[in-house]
Amino acid sequence: MKKLYIKLILYILSSTHHHNIEIESIRAAYIELKGVEKMAEKDVRNKQLLLRHYVSGFPKESDMFVSSDSTIKLKLGDDSKGVVLVKNLFLAADPHLRPLMQKDDKFSVSQSFIPGSPLYGFGVSRILDSKHQDFQEGDYVWGVTGWEEYSIISSPENLFKIHHHTDVPLSYYTGILGMPGLTAYSGFFEVCGPKKGEYVFVSAAAGAVGQLVGQFAKLIGCYVVGSAGSKDKVDLLKSKFGFDEAFNYKEEHDLGAALKRYFPQGIDIYFELVGGKMLDAVLMNMRVHGRIAVCGMISQYTKEEHEGIKNTACLIYKRIRMQGFNVVDYYPLYPKFLEFLLPQIRNGEISCVEDIVGGLENGAAALVRVFNGHNIGKQVLSLINDDE
């Protein structure tokens, strides 16, 4: 619609410049504009990715399905106070969506998905219509939205406006400049309190969060080792992200011995994204006064019963501080985070790898790739149309 307003203005400017107002051209543009407005008042199809049923074990693509049965008006009614209507552009396929696919996730504070309803998660969107004073048509935002083409967001105050999108890709706000980026920043700098020269270990290091933690650690002069699940990912950690060392945990029969090999002097900081056996092995290899930031436990998300850990006595003997955290507690740091990271991206000191697929019909496959560890970098689903 905005393009048609521009077209109408250009007609006027062009014709007045020649002292000859082209009435018929202006009238045609106006009629076209009114036609679009009428279309916005009609119901349009809203393609969605729905959960078919609750899931146990590893999710399959057949556990989800795409539907075009839902419809939506592209214009909010006068009674829609305080809400916004958005066109979703990019959706983030994140590991934390897996626990929401089961009926009762006793470990999560988020509400489980409802079978027959669309999934939801972090995404990047453009405001189509707004009944909220802080948002205008055309604004770009990131935050929680539906896995669908269009969403009505009832609490837009939880969205973040995107002000820097001309010199960085919009998709970055699903990862490096969005929730995963702020997670890496707050977890590493706020929870871990790193110092130059410390020894840092990052599990699931090739993912959206892990790849940034490792780069942050290198930026301040730490020694960094990461673990990942394939040779390609291990190579990426060393060649692209500058990790000092990296190893494929699937090739290690003794994780404790592997960690001792890479950290003969012990680990000062562990950024925890895996849990289970990896956490148990790390505890035995921590240094005195080490810090562990517990961000995720992807190895446990598909298990009916979570694995226990045996080496918790190390917390006492080595005076280790192990702290879980949630990025929402650090949302107030977002402006500080952008001030720190945007220049690093622009000058090439910090980089990211994205794994982008297009279309909601590929959404289930994208999620399964994440849960199986087959993605390389941040897994993103693009809903961008040719005219976006």
Side-chain angles (χ1 to χ4, degrees), residues 9 51 58 62 82-83 93 142 212 220 277 287 304-305 355 378:
I9 292 170
L51 184 68
F58 278 99
S62 58
V83 308
W142 73 265
L212 292 175
I220 64 169
K277 295 176 182 177
R287 301 181 80 183
E304 293 294 325
E305 292 292 331
D355 192 338
K378 176 63 189 176

Side-chain angles (χ1 to χ4, degrees), residues 41-341:
E41 296 173 2
K42 295 181 179 179
D43 290 339
V44 298
R45 295 289 179 185
N46 188 21
K47 188 182 294 185
Q48 301 172 314
L49 181 66
L50 312 180
L51 184 68
R52 190 181 300 277
H53 46 234
Y54 289 119
V55 177
S56 61
F58 278 99
K60 305 180 295 296
E61 291 183 39
S62 58
D63 294 324
M64 296 158 270
F65 67 101
V66 174
S67 172
S68 298
D69 293 340
S70 177
T71 60
I72 191 170
K73 284 184 172 62
L74 300 187
K75 191 77 175 173
L76 293 170
D78 294 335
D79 57 345
S80 304
K81 185 178 180 180
V83 308
V84 297
L85 169 69
V86 302
K87 168 67 172 72
N88 295 312
L89 305 177
F90 296 99
L91 300 173
D94 291 321
H96 73 261
L97 300 185
R98 169 58 191 88
L100 304 182
M101 293 182 174
Q102 56 201 49
K103 185 173 184 180
D104 296 308
D105 176 25
K106 57 189 174 187
F107 298 103
S108 176
V109 296
S110 300
Q111 183 178 355
S112 295
F113 298 138
I114 300 172
S117 296
L119 282 62
Y120 57 85
F122 286 93
V124 172
S125 312
R126 180 168 53 84
I127 304 287
L128 294 183
D129 196 11
S130 173
K131 298 295 183 180
H132 193 287
Q133 61 182 6
D134 295 335
F135 297 91
Q136 305 297 323
E137 178 188 343
D139 286 347
Y140 289 95
V141 295
W142 73 265
V144 175
T145 188
W147 275 60
E148 55 191 357
E149 290 183 292
Y150 305 98
S151 295
I152 293 176
I153 299 177
S154 58
S155 300
E157 56 272 11
N158 295 323
L159 297 173
F160 291 83
K161 276 191 182 181
I162 296 174
H163 299 289
H164 308 279
H165 60 271
T166 56
D167 57 346
V168 294
L170 266 176
S171 57
Y172 276 18
Y173 288 89
T174 66
I176 188 171
L177 291 174
M179 181 275 291
L182 185 58
T183 298
Y185 176 84
S186 57
F188 185 62
F189 289 111
E190 299 294 321
V191 177
C192 295
K195 303 178 186 68
K196 182 179 179 179
E198 289 194 308
Y199 301 98
V200 178
F201 176 52
V202 185
S203 57
V209 175
Q211 62 179 257
L212 292 175
V213 173
Q215 291 181 85
F216 293 160
K218 288 303 299 176
L219 203 61
I220 64 169
C222 294
Y223 170 81
V224 187
V225 177
S227 65
S230 73
K231 181 182 182 302
D232 287 343
K233 291 182 179 181
V234 167
D235 292 342
L236 185 70
L237 292 176
K238 293 190 286 185
S239 64
K240 178 76 172 178
F241 301 131
F243 282 60
D244 293 288
E245 291 290 348
F247 65 91
N248 183 348
Y249 70 90
K250 294 179 181 178
E251 295 178 349
E252 301 291 343
H253 300 295
D254 186 336
L255 290 173
L259 292 171
K260 178 63 73 175
R261 186 168 72 246
Y262 289 103
F263 293 98
Q265 61 284 92
I267 301 167
D268 291 301
I269 291 174
Y270 172 43
F271 203 95
E272 166 67 298
L273 290 157
V274 171
K277 295 176 182 177
M278 183 65 81
L279 175 57
D280 225 14
V282 168
L283 285 171
M284 290 295 291
N285 284 275
M286 291 294 292
R287 301 181 80 183
V288 173
H289 298 300
R291 289 90 73 204
I292 301 175
V294 184
C295 174
M297 293 194 171
I298 194 170
S299 73
Q300 306 302 298
Y301 294 160
T302 57
K303 296 183 182 296
E304 293 294 325
E305 292 292 331
H306 287 198
E307 293 176 328
I309 56 176
K310 300 175 292 185
N311 297 322
T312 51
C314 293
L315 296 169
I316 304 169
Y317 304 142
K318 300 182 180 183
R319 283 87 82 195
I320 299 167
R321 175 165 59 84
M322 184 164 71
Q323 179 180 337
F325 74 99
N326 191 314
V327 68
V328 299
D329 297 331
Y330 297 93
Y331 278 176
L333 291 181
Y334 189 66
K336 180 182 176 183
F337 160 73
L338 286 183
E339 186 179 343
F340 164 79
L341 191 56

Side-chain angles (χ1 to χ4, degrees), residues 1-8 33 126 137-139:
M1 191 178 297
K2 185 178 292 184
K3 291 180 180 178
L4 291 174
Y5 278 116
I6 294 172
K7 183 178 178 181
L8 185 58
L33 176 61
R126 180 168 53 84
E137 178 188 343
D139 286 347

